[in-house]
Amino acid sequence: MSRLNPHLDFIKDNNLFFLDLELEKFRNYNKFIEEHFNKTIDNHQEEYKAVMDKIENQPSLYSDLQLNHIQDSLVDRMIEIDRDFVQSFRASMITQLYSFLERTLIGACESYELNHNKEFGVDDLRGNGDFEKAKLFLTKSAKVDIKLLEPNWSFLNNLRVLRNCIVHNNSTVFDNEKRKYNCLSSFSKNRFEIWERDREISFFTILLTQEKFVDEIIENIFSLFEKLEKFEVYI
């Protein structure tokens, strides 16, 4: 018996278990922060209502300038939480999860190379990033039929486009980037919004409006590796 066999058997038996342990950290972290945002927004709405009720009951105590300042401060705080903080957090979750995906895919390819004594590894291939290199290795070396990884592979490939837009373009799509816009527009349904900022400037901004989008990403990552098990590709 090869020395690798007991190790390979252990990987086979525990592959998805260990993957799910890693993904559970993302699930719990996302749930914790989203709940905190929701509670903070609820508390701020209650504060806003209480302040406005007080002003309505005693309007003579406040000048127009004071009223405008109070209202603007409360609204600005709400916008900061609901737009800036939430958007930054969700963008960071997308980038973290995509990095995890690429890292885990490359690790699975390296494990396959080792356990099957392949003549070339994923690092020997040329590709536009680790995701593309992993695809080349899986199809050429592990004989994976990408069609059998659908719809997860297409979902995660679209996530790659979204992640690159967030990281490299500050969540912006320009009017002349038709291919990217069409990809993200199709992918966005029930996941995020694409907001046209100004017709004269001609660019669009990604708004991460759906709280459950991160959970969908996590489940697609898990389902992808669940399907890769059929090709003896393990993390």
Side-chain angles (χ1 to χ4, degrees), residues 198-228:
D198 193 317
R199 292 185 182 275
E200 293 181 3
I201 299 175
S202 297
F203 70 94
F204 306 86
T205 296
I206 304 295
L207 297 177
L208 303 170
T209 53
Q210 298 301 314
E211 182 178 332
K212 297 299 181 182
F213 182 34
V214 167
D215 292 326
E216 187 181 7
I217 295 170
I218 292 170
E219 295 315 308
N220 269 274
I221 293 174
F222 184 86
S223 295
L224 175 70
F225 286 97
E226 190 174 35
K227 290 174 181 175
L228 283 171

PDB file of all heavy atoms in Angstrom, residues 198-228:
ATOM      1  N   ASP A 198     -24.810  59.266 -13.481  1.00  0.00           N
ATOM      2  CA  ASP A 198     -25.046  60.491 -14.235  1.00  0.00           C
ATOM      3  C   ASP A 198     -24.930  60.176 -15.719  1.00  0.00           C
ATOM      4  O   ASP A 198     -23.911  59.655 -16.154  1.00  0.00           O
ATOM      5  CB  ASP A 198     -24.025  61.560 -13.840  1.00  0.00           C
ATOM      6  CG  ASP A 198     -24.418  62.940 -14.353  1.00  0.00           C
ATOM      7  OD1 ASP A 198     -24.855  63.028 -15.515  1.00  0.00           O
ATOM      8  OD2 ASP A 198     -24.292  63.908 -13.594  1.00  0.00           O
ATOM      9  N   ARG A 199     -25.949  60.485 -16.475  1.00  0.00           N
ATOM     10  CA  ARG A 199     -25.927  60.166 -17.904  1.00  0.00           C
ATOM     11  C   ARG A 199     -24.814  60.898 -18.643  1.00  0.00           C
ATOM     12  O   ARG A 199     -24.258  60.395 -19.612  1.00  0.00           O
ATOM     13  CB  ARG A 199     -27.282  60.500 -18.533  1.00  0.00           C
ATOM     14  CG  ARG A 199     -28.411  59.594 -18.064  1.00  0.00           C
ATOM     15  CD  ARG A 199     -29.696  59.891 -18.814  1.00  0.00           C
ATOM     16  NE  ARG A 199     -30.788  59.059 -18.343  1.00  0.00           N
ATOM     17  CZ  ARG A 199     -31.022  57.834 -18.786  1.00  0.00           C
ATOM     18  NH1 ARG A 199     -30.233  57.320 -19.697  1.00  0.00           N
ATOM     19  NH2 ARG A 199     -32.032  57.133 -18.313  1.00  0.00           N
ATOM     20  N   GLU A 200     -24.460  62.091 -18.195  1.00  0.00           N
ATOM     21  CA  GLU A 200     -23.405  62.844 -18.866  1.00  0.00           C
ATOM     22  C   GLU A 200     -22.032  62.226 -18.591  1.00  0.00           C
ATOM     23  O   GLU A 200     -21.179  62.153 -19.470  1.00  0.00           O
ATOM     24  CB  GLU A 200     -23.432  64.296 -18.408  1.00  0.00           C
ATOM     25  CG  GLU A 200     -24.690  65.043 -18.857  1.00  0.00           C
ATOM     26  CD  GLU A 200     -24.687  66.492 -18.404  1.00  0.00           C
ATOM     27  OE1 GLU A 200     -23.686  66.909 -17.789  1.00  0.00           O
ATOM     28  OE2 GLU A 200     -25.683  67.191 -18.669  1.00  0.00           O
ATOM     29  N   ILE A 201     -21.827  61.783 -17.359  1.00  0.00           N
ATOM     30  CA  ILE A 201     -20.550  61.172 -16.998  1.00  0.00           C
ATOM     31  C   ILE A 201     -20.486  59.740 -17.534  1.00  0.00           C
ATOM     32  O   ILE A 201     -19.418  59.232 -17.863  1.00  0.00           O
ATOM     33  CB  ILE A 201     -20.365  61.180 -15.471  1.00  0.00           C
ATOM     34  CG1 ILE A 201     -20.374  62.627 -14.967  1.00  0.00           C
ATOM     35  CG2 ILE A 201     -19.076  60.490 -15.063  1.00  0.00           C
ATOM     36  CD1 ILE A 201     -20.310  62.764 -13.470  1.00  0.00           C
ATOM     37  N   SER A 202     -21.612  59.100 -17.628  1.00  0.00           N
ATOM     38  CA  SER A 202     -21.714  57.759 -18.222  1.00  0.00           C
ATOM     39  C   SER A 202     -20.918  56.704 -17.457  1.00  0.00           C
ATOM     40  O   SER A 202     -19.959  56.136 -17.962  1.00  0.00           O
ATOM     41  CB  SER A 202     -21.263  57.789 -19.699  1.00  0.00           C
ATOM     42  OG  SER A 202     -22.110  58.617 -20.446  1.00  0.00           O
ATOM     43  N   PHE A 203     -21.286  56.487 -16.214  1.00  0.00           N
ATOM     44  CA  PHE A 203     -20.742  55.349 -15.497  1.00  0.00           C
ATOM     45  C   PHE A 203     -21.780  54.846 -14.495  1.00  0.00           C
ATOM     46  O   PHE A 203     -22.742  55.528 -14.184  1.00  0.00           O
ATOM     47  CB  PHE A 203     -19.416  55.688 -14.812  1.00  0.00           C
ATOM     48  CG  PHE A 203     -19.531  56.622 -13.633  1.00  0.00           C
ATOM     49  CD1 PHE A 203     -19.639  56.118 -12.345  1.00  0.00           C
ATOM     50  CD2 PHE A 203     -19.510  57.999 -13.808  1.00  0.00           C
ATOM     51  CE1 PHE A 203     -19.729  56.969 -11.254  1.00  0.00           C
ATOM     52  CE2 PHE A 203     -19.598  58.858 -12.726  1.00  0.00           C
ATOM     53  CZ  PHE A 203     -19.705  58.346 -11.448  1.00  0.00           C
ATOM     54  N   PHE A 204     -21.557  53.633 -14.014  1.00  0.00           N
ATOM     55  CA  PHE A 204     -22.509  52.962 -13.139  1.00  0.00           C
ATOM     56  C   PHE A 204     -21.801  52.515 -11.861  1.00  0.00           C
ATOM     57  O   PHE A 204     -20.611  52.193 -11.888  1.00  0.00           O
ATOM     58  CB  PHE A 204     -23.114  51.746 -13.844  1.00  0.00           C
ATOM     59  CG  PHE A 204     -23.717  52.067 -15.179  1.00  0.00           C
ATOM     60  CD1 PHE A 204     -22.938  52.075 -16.332  1.00  0.00           C
ATOM     61  CD2 PHE A 204     -25.067  52.354 -15.295  1.00  0.00           C
ATOM     62  CE1 PHE A 204     -23.483  52.361 -17.571  1.00  0.00           C
ATOM     63  CE2 PHE A 204     -25.631  52.650 -16.537  1.00  0.00           C
ATOM     64  CZ  PHE A 204     -24.834  52.649 -17.677  1.00  0.00           C
ATOM     65  N   THR A 205     -22.539  52.480 -10.780  1.00  0.00           N
ATOM     66  CA  THR A 205     -21.996  52.058  -9.489  1.00  0.00           C
ATOM     67  C   THR A 205     -22.737  50.825  -8.987  1.00  0.00           C
ATOM     68  O   THR A 205     -23.963  50.754  -9.062  1.00  0.00           O
ATOM     69  CB  THR A 205     -22.118  53.186  -8.444  1.00  0.00           C
ATOM     70  OG1 THR A 205     -21.324  54.299  -8.863  1.00  0.00           O
ATOM     71  CG2 THR A 205     -21.616  52.723  -7.079  1.00  0.00           C
ATOM     72  N   ILE A 206     -21.967  49.873  -8.472  1.00  0.00           N
ATOM     73  CA  ILE A 206     -22.544  48.662  -7.879  1.00  0.00           C
ATOM     74  C   ILE A 206     -23.020  48.970  -6.462  1.00  0.00           C
ATOM     75  O   ILE A 206     -22.260  49.485  -5.638  1.00  0.00           O
ATOM     76  CB  ILE A 206     -21.501  47.533  -7.819  1.00  0.00           C
ATOM     77  CG1 ILE A 206     -20.931  47.243  -9.205  1.00  0.00           C
ATOM     78  CG2 ILE A 206     -22.096  46.276  -7.191  1.00  0.00           C
ATOM     79  CD1 ILE A 206     -21.920  46.701 -10.187  1.00  0.00           C
ATOM     80  N   LEU A 207     -24.264  48.667  -6.180  1.00  0.00           N
ATOM     81  CA  LEU A 207     -24.820  48.819  -4.836  1.00  0.00           C
ATOM     82  C   LEU A 207     -25.186  47.439  -4.301  1.00  0.00           C
ATOM     83  O   LEU A 207     -26.054  46.766  -4.861  1.00  0.00           O
ATOM     84  CB  LEU A 207     -26.054  49.722  -4.858  1.00  0.00           C
ATOM     85  CG  LEU A 207     -25.838  51.170  -5.287  1.00  0.00           C
ATOM     86  CD1 LEU A 207     -27.162  51.913  -5.338  1.00  0.00           C
ATOM     87  CD2 LEU A 207     -24.880  51.868  -4.335  1.00  0.00           C
ATOM     88  N   LEU A 208     -24.534  47.024  -3.230  1.00  0.00           N
ATOM     89  CA  LEU A 208     -24.742  45.684  -2.660  1.00  0.00           C
ATOM     90  C   LEU A 208     -25.921  45.745  -1.699  1.00  0.00           C
ATOM     91  O   LEU A 208     -25.765  45.920  -0.489  1.00  0.00           O
ATOM     92  CB  LEU A 208     -23.455  45.215  -1.975  1.00  0.00           C
ATOM     93  CG  LEU A 208     -22.232  45.190  -2.904  1.00  0.00           C
ATOM     94  CD1 LEU A 208     -20.953  44.966  -2.103  1.00  0.00           C
ATOM     95  CD2 LEU A 208     -22.396  44.125  -3.971  1.00  0.00           C
ATOM     96  N   THR A 209     -27.117  45.576  -2.249  1.00  0.00           N
ATOM     97  CA  THR A 209     -28.346  45.832  -1.505  1.00  0.00           C
ATOM     98  C   THR A 209     -28.930  44.602  -0.822  1.00  0.00           C
ATOM     99  O   THR A 209     -29.778  44.744   0.064  1.00  0.00           O
ATOM    100  CB  THR A 209     -29.410  46.411  -2.453  1.00  0.00           C
ATOM    101  OG1 THR A 209     -29.548  45.537  -3.587  1.00  0.00           O
ATOM    102  CG2 THR A 209     -29.000  47.794  -2.950  1.00  0.00           C
ATOM    103  N   GLN A 210     -28.497  43.411  -1.219  1.00  0.00           N
ATOM    104  CA  GLN A 210     -29.138  42.196  -0.728  1.00  0.00           C
ATOM    105  C   GLN A 210     -28.291  41.511   0.358  1.00  0.00           C
ATOM    106  O   GLN A 210     -27.187  41.059   0.102  1.00  0.00           O
ATOM    107  CB  GLN A 210     -29.406  41.228  -1.875  1.00  0.00           C
ATOM    108  CG  GLN A 210     -30.360  41.769  -2.926  1.00  0.00           C
ATOM    109  CD  GLN A 210     -31.717  42.134  -2.338  1.00  0.00           C
ATOM    110  OE1 GLN A 210     -32.294  41.370  -1.572  1.00  0.00           O
ATOM    111  NE2 GLN A 210     -32.218  43.302  -2.698  1.00  0.00           N
ATOM    112  N   GLU A 211     -28.851  41.442   1.530  1.00  0.00           N
ATOM    113  CA  GLU A 211     -28.150  40.855   2.680  1.00  0.00           C
ATOM    114  C   GLU A 211     -27.817  39.389   2.445  1.00  0.00           C
ATOM    115  O   GLU A 211     -26.791  38.895   2.924  1.00  0.00           O
ATOM    116  CB  GLU A 211     -29.034  41.018   3.917  1.00  0.00           C
ATOM    117  CG  GLU A 211     -28.434  40.509   5.208  1.00  0.00           C
ATOM    118  CD  GLU A 211     -29.339  40.752   6.389  1.00  0.00           C
ATOM    119  OE1 GLU A 211     -30.136  41.722   6.351  1.00  0.00           O
ATOM    120  OE2 GLU A 211     -29.273  39.968   7.366  1.00  0.00           O
ATOM    121  N   LYS A 212     -28.669  38.659   1.735  1.00  0.00           N
ATOM    122  CA  LYS A 212     -28.502  37.211   1.561  1.00  0.00           C
ATOM    123  C   LYS A 212     -27.519  36.830   0.453  1.00  0.00           C
ATOM    124  O   LYS A 212     -27.253  35.647   0.248  1.00  0.00           O
ATOM    125  CB  LYS A 212     -29.864  36.569   1.274  1.00  0.00           C
ATOM    126  CG  LYS A 212     -30.877  36.707   2.415  1.00  0.00           C
ATOM    127  CD  LYS A 212     -30.375  36.029   3.685  1.00  0.00           C
ATOM    128  CE  LYS A 212     -31.397  36.135   4.812  1.00  0.00           C
ATOM    129  NZ  LYS A 212     -30.884  35.516   6.062  1.00  0.00           N
ATOM    130  N   PHE A 213     -26.998  37.814  -0.257  1.00  0.00           N
ATOM    131  CA  PHE A 213     -26.089  37.521  -1.364  1.00  0.00           C
ATOM    132  C   PHE A 213     -24.839  36.786  -0.880  1.00  0.00           C
ATOM    133  O   PHE A 213     -24.372  35.835  -1.522  1.00  0.00           O
ATOM    134  CB  PHE A 213     -25.710  38.824  -2.073  1.00  0.00           C
ATOM    135  CG  PHE A 213     -24.815  38.645  -3.267  1.00  0.00           C
ATOM    136  CD1 PHE A 213     -24.915  37.531  -4.095  1.00  0.00           C
ATOM    137  CD2 PHE A 213     -23.864  39.608  -3.571  1.00  0.00           C
ATOM    138  CE1 PHE A 213     -24.091  37.376  -5.205  1.00  0.00           C
ATOM    139  CE2 PHE A 213     -23.035  39.471  -4.673  1.00  0.00           C
ATOM    140  CZ  PHE A 213     -23.148  38.356  -5.486  1.00  0.00           C
ATOM    141  N   VAL A 214     -24.309  37.184   0.244  1.00  0.00           N
ATOM    142  CA  VAL A 214     -23.107  36.529   0.787  1.00  0.00           C
ATOM    143  C   VAL A 214     -23.395  35.063   1.107  1.00  0.00           C
ATOM    144  O   VAL A 214     -22.571  34.184   0.826  1.00  0.00           O
ATOM    145  CB  VAL A 214     -22.597  37.274   2.038  1.00  0.00           C
ATOM    146  CG1 VAL A 214     -21.553  36.431   2.791  1.00  0.00           C
ATOM    147  CG2 VAL A 214     -21.986  38.619   1.637  1.00  0.00           C
ATOM    148  N   ASP A 215     -24.553  34.781   1.660  1.00  0.00           N
ATOM    149  CA  ASP A 215     -24.917  33.386   1.939  1.00  0.00           C
ATOM    150  C   ASP A 215     -24.994  32.574   0.651  1.00  0.00           C
ATOM    151  O   ASP A 215     -24.602  31.401   0.614  1.00  0.00           O
ATOM    152  CB  ASP A 215     -26.274  33.324   2.660  1.00  0.00           C
ATOM    153  CG  ASP A 215     -26.213  33.900   4.061  1.00  0.00           C
ATOM    154  OD1 ASP A 215     -25.163  33.754   4.713  1.00  0.00           O
ATOM    155  OD2 ASP A 215     -27.216  34.487   4.505  1.00  0.00           O
ATOM    156  N   GLU A 216     -25.495  33.190  -0.411  1.00  0.00           N
ATOM    157  CA  GLU A 216     -25.581  32.505  -1.703  1.00  0.00           C
ATOM    158  C   GLU A 216     -24.182  32.187  -2.238  1.00  0.00           C
ATOM    159  O   GLU A 216     -23.950  31.112  -2.806  1.00  0.00           O
ATOM    160  CB  GLU A 216     -26.340  33.367  -2.708  1.00  0.00           C
ATOM    161  CG  GLU A 216     -26.614  32.657  -4.031  1.00  0.00           C
ATOM    162  CD  GLU A 216     -27.343  33.529  -5.034  1.00  0.00           C
ATOM    163  OE1 GLU A 216     -27.523  34.745  -4.765  1.00  0.00           O
ATOM    164  OE2 GLU A 216     -27.726  33.003  -6.098  1.00  0.00           O
ATOM    165  N   ILE A 217     -23.251  33.107  -2.054  1.00  0.00           N
ATOM    166  CA  ILE A 217     -21.868  32.872  -2.480  1.00  0.00           C
ATOM    167  C   ILE A 217     -21.287  31.677  -1.733  1.00  0.00           C
ATOM    168  O   ILE A 217     -20.669  30.785  -2.330  1.00  0.00           O
ATOM    169  CB  ILE A 217     -21.003  34.124  -2.226  1.00  0.00           C
ATOM    170  CG1 ILE A 217     -21.473  35.286  -3.100  1.00  0.00           C
ATOM    171  CG2 ILE A 217     -19.523  33.819  -2.506  1.00  0.00           C
ATOM    172  CD1 ILE A 217     -20.835  36.620  -2.739  1.00  0.00           C
ATOM    173  N   ILE A 218     -21.486  31.637  -0.435  1.00  0.00           N
ATOM    174  CA  ILE A 218     -20.952  30.551   0.388  1.00  0.00           C
ATOM    175  C   ILE A 218     -21.503  29.203  -0.066  1.00  0.00           C
ATOM    176  O   ILE A 218     -20.759  28.223  -0.201  1.00  0.00           O
ATOM    177  CB  ILE A 218     -21.274  30.807   1.871  1.00  0.00           C
ATOM    178  CG1 ILE A 218     -20.480  32.018   2.385  1.00  0.00           C
ATOM    179  CG2 ILE A 218     -20.965  29.569   2.721  1.00  0.00           C
ATOM    180  CD1 ILE A 218     -20.889  32.497   3.763  1.00  0.00           C
ATOM    181  N   GLU A 219     -22.796  29.146  -0.321  1.00  0.00           N
ATOM    182  CA  GLU A 219     -23.406  27.882  -0.726  1.00  0.00           C
ATOM    183  C   GLU A 219     -22.933  27.446  -2.107  1.00  0.00           C
ATOM    184  O   GLU A 219     -22.796  26.244  -2.368  1.00  0.00           O
ATOM    185  CB  GLU A 219     -24.935  28.006  -0.686  1.00  0.00           C
ATOM    186  CG  GLU A 219     -25.496  28.229   0.714  1.00  0.00           C
ATOM    187  CD  GLU A 219     -24.864  27.316   1.764  1.00  0.00           C
ATOM    188  OE1 GLU A 219     -24.834  26.081   1.546  1.00  0.00           O
ATOM    189  OE2 GLU A 219     -24.384  27.835   2.791  1.00  0.00           O
ATOM    190  N   ASN A 220     -22.655  28.391  -2.989  1.00  0.00           N
ATOM    191  CA  ASN A 220     -22.140  28.034  -4.313  1.00  0.00           C
ATOM    192  C   ASN A 220     -20.716  27.503  -4.226  1.00  0.00           C
ATOM    193  O   ASN A 220     -20.350  26.586  -4.973  1.00  0.00           O
ATOM    194  CB  ASN A 220     -22.207  29.236  -5.252  1.00  0.00           C
ATOM    195  CG  ASN A 220     -23.506  29.312  -6.019  1.00  0.00           C
ATOM    196  OD1 ASN A 220     -23.653  28.712  -7.076  1.00  0.00           O
ATOM    197  ND2 ASN A 220     -24.460  30.030  -5.462  1.00  0.00           N
ATOM    198  N   ILE A 221     -19.924  28.052  -3.340  1.00  0.00           N
ATOM    199  CA  ILE A 221     -18.565  27.525  -3.135  1.00  0.00           C
ATOM    200  C   ILE A 221     -18.632  26.086  -2.629  1.00  0.00           C
ATOM    201  O   ILE A 221     -17.935  25.199  -3.143  1.00  0.00           O
ATOM    202  CB  ILE A 221     -17.777  28.415  -2.148  1.00  0.00           C
ATOM    203  CG1 ILE A 221     -17.504  29.790  -2.775  1.00  0.00           C
ATOM    204  CG2 ILE A 221     -16.458  27.749  -1.750  1.00  0.00           C
ATOM    205  CD1 ILE A 221     -16.855  30.788  -1.830  1.00  0.00           C
ATOM    206  N   PHE A 222     -19.480  25.847  -1.640  1.00  0.00           N
ATOM    207  CA  PHE A 222     -19.606  24.491  -1.097  1.00  0.00           C
ATOM    208  C   PHE A 222     -20.090  23.515  -2.177  1.00  0.00           C
ATOM    209  O   PHE A 222     -19.540  22.415  -2.328  1.00  0.00           O
ATOM    210  CB  PHE A 222     -20.570  24.478   0.084  1.00  0.00           C
ATOM    211  CG  PHE A 222     -20.682  23.131   0.743  1.00  0.00           C
ATOM    212  CD1 PHE A 222     -19.784  22.750   1.725  1.00  0.00           C
ATOM    213  CD2 PHE A 222     -21.680  22.232   0.377  1.00  0.00           C
ATOM    214  CE1 PHE A 222     -19.871  21.496   2.330  1.00  0.00           C
ATOM    215  CE2 PHE A 222     -21.781  20.994   0.966  1.00  0.00           C
ATOM    216  CZ  PHE A 222     -20.869  20.615   1.947  1.00  0.00           C
ATOM    217  N   SER A 223     -21.100  23.916  -2.932  1.00  0.00           N
ATOM    218  CA  SER A 223     -21.655  23.030  -3.964  1.00  0.00           C
ATOM    219  C   SER A 223     -20.636  22.724  -5.055  1.00  0.00           C
ATOM    220  O   SER A 223     -20.607  21.607  -5.595  1.00  0.00           O
ATOM    221  CB  SER A 223     -22.898  23.668  -4.592  1.00  0.00           C
ATOM    222  OG  SER A 223     -23.936  23.786  -3.638  1.00  0.00           O
ATOM    223  N   LEU A 224     -19.778  23.684  -5.385  1.00  0.00           N
ATOM    224  CA  LEU A 224     -18.745  23.447  -6.387  1.00  0.00           C
ATOM    225  C   LEU A 224     -17.814  22.325  -5.958  1.00  0.00           C
ATOM    226  O   LEU A 224     -17.552  21.389  -6.723  1.00  0.00           O
ATOM    227  CB  LEU A 224     -17.941  24.723  -6.629  1.00  0.00           C
ATOM    228  CG  LEU A 224     -16.747  24.566  -7.579  1.00  0.00           C
ATOM    229  CD1 LEU A 224     -17.221  24.339  -9.005  1.00  0.00           C
ATOM    230  CD2 LEU A 224     -15.821  25.771  -7.485  1.00  0.00           C
ATOM    231  N   PHE A 225     -17.320  22.398  -4.736  1.00  0.00           N
ATOM    232  CA  PHE A 225     -16.382  21.378  -4.269  1.00  0.00           C
ATOM    233  C   PHE A 225     -17.078  20.042  -4.001  1.00  0.00           C
ATOM    234  O   PHE A 225     -16.451  18.985  -4.098  1.00  0.00           O
ATOM    235  CB  PHE A 225     -15.642  21.874  -3.022  1.00  0.00           C
ATOM    236  CG  PHE A 225     -14.599  22.904  -3.343  1.00  0.00           C
ATOM    237  CD1 PHE A 225     -14.869  24.252  -3.222  1.00  0.00           C
ATOM    238  CD2 PHE A 225     -13.349  22.512  -3.807  1.00  0.00           C
ATOM    239  CE1 PHE A 225     -13.921  25.209  -3.540  1.00  0.00           C
ATOM    240  CE2 PHE A 225     -12.383  23.453  -4.127  1.00  0.00           C
ATOM    241  CZ  PHE A 225     -12.670  24.806  -4.007  1.00  0.00           C
ATOM    242  N   GLU A 226     -18.353  20.108  -3.717  1.00  0.00           N
ATOM    243  CA  GLU A 226     -19.138  18.875  -3.587  1.00  0.00           C
ATOM    244  C   GLU A 226     -19.168  18.146  -4.931  1.00  0.00           C
ATOM    245  O   GLU A 226     -19.023  16.922  -4.987  1.00  0.00           O
ATOM    246  CB  GLU A 226     -20.546  19.227  -3.126  1.00  0.00           C
ATOM    247  CG  GLU A 226     -21.395  18.038  -2.727  1.00  0.00           C
ATOM    248  CD  GLU A 226     -22.728  18.471  -2.147  1.00  0.00           C
ATOM    249  OE1 GLU A 226     -23.284  19.492  -2.613  1.00  0.00           O
ATOM    250  OE2 GLU A 226     -23.224  17.796  -1.232  1.00  0.00           O
ATOM    251  N   LYS A 227     -19.323  18.890  -6.016  1.00  0.00           N
ATOM    252  CA  LYS A 227     -19.331  18.288  -7.356  1.00  0.00           C
ATOM    253  C   LYS A 227     -17.934  17.840  -7.775  1.00  0.00           C
ATOM    254  O   LYS A 227     -17.783  16.832  -8.476  1.00  0.00           O
ATOM    255  CB  LYS A 227     -19.901  19.281  -8.360  1.00  0.00           C
ATOM    256  CG  LYS A 227     -21.400  19.523  -8.177  1.00  0.00           C
ATOM    257  CD  LYS A 227     -21.923  20.617  -9.082  1.00  0.00           C
ATOM    258  CE  LYS A 227     -23.420  20.823  -8.822  1.00  0.00           C
ATOM    259  NZ  LYS A 227     -23.958  21.957  -9.605  1.00  0.00           N
ATOM    260  N   LEU A 228     -16.911  18.575  -7.353  1.00  0.00           N
ATOM    261  CA  LEU A 228     -15.526  18.199  -7.713  1.00  0.00           C
ATOM    262  C   LEU A 228     -15.108  16.874  -7.073  1.00  0.00           C
ATOM    263  O   LEU A 228     -14.199  16.209  -7.580  1.00  0.00           O
ATOM    264  CB  LEU A 228     -14.561  19.314  -7.312  1.00  0.00           C
ATOM    265  CG  LEU A 228     -14.523  20.537  -8.235  1.00  0.00           C
ATOM    266  CD1 LEU A 228     -13.690  21.650  -7.605  1.00  0.00           C
ATOM    267  CD2 LEU A 228     -13.982  20.166  -9.600  1.00  0.00           C
TER     268      LEU A 228
END
